[in-house]
Amino acid sequence: MNTRPGAPPLGERSGRPARVAGLPPPAERGATVIPDRVVARIAVQAARTAQSRRAAIPPDRDGPAAPTASAVTRTGSVRLHLTMDLPYPADLPQVCERIRQDVAERVAQLTGLTVGEITLTVQRLVTAGGANWGRVR
């Protein structure tokens, strides 16, 4: 073991990292700012995944319209507004709540922001059978 006389043993060294190349401490360096449009794009991807998973709507081009989102960030938190198509028939309040939870978790995970509020607007109800379903006589 290579230690200098008077140096603390390896297990007793300070857990503080050495100052790197004269940089100020991390708290004094500034903050990472994520633009609203970037947060909105992350929310769209999360909503598309949640729409496929929770509402059983596949994210294909011939199906429902892709979700849209807008975001407003303020001091570490974000408010989201999502617009999407959902299936009919379905338990819409339950599906909406699950989608909100999925989007909030994913956005928080990827951005580090606290998701304060998510407003979800159902743009259109899509029948489960699509255009192949005919009228029952």
Side-chain angles (χ1 to χ4, degrees):
M1 184 155 91
N2 232 353
T3 60
R4 295 177 304 185
L10 289 176
E12 295 178 18
R13 290 186 183 173
S14 170
R16 300 168 65 199
R19 211 163 194 180
V20 180
L23 291 175
E28 295 175 14
R29 290 184 206 162
T32 301
V33 178
I34 303 172
D36 290 349
R37 65 181 173 15
V38 173
V39 177
R41 289 182 78 178
I42 291 169
V44 164
Q45 289 295 355
R48 184 175 294 162
T49 301
Q51 183 184 45
S52 167
R53 205 169 126 216
R54 299 294 187 177
I57 296 180
D60 59 357
R61 294 183 184 199
D62 297 333
T68 60
S70 62
V72 177
T73 55
R74 296 280 186 264
T75 61
S77 68
V78 62
R79 286 184 301 141
L80 297 170
H81 181 254
L82 301 171
T83 303
M84 62 184 0
D85 296 347
L86 291 178
Y88 179 82
D91 183 359
L92 293 178
Q94 183 181 22
V95 169
C96 289
E97 184 56 33
R98 287 181 176 171
I99 288 173
R100 277 200 229 41
Q101 288 173 353
D102 288 354
V103 171
E105 288 173 7
R106 189 67 175 152
V107 168
Q109 179 185 32
L110 292 176
T111 65
L113 298 169
T114 302
V115 179
E117 175 184 340
I118 297 180
T119 305
L120 188 122
T121 301
V122 179
Q123 180 173 339
R124 186 174 61 139
L125 295 175
V126 180
T127 58
N132 295 336
W133 280 29
R135 186 172 178 172
V136 178
R137 294 183 192 217

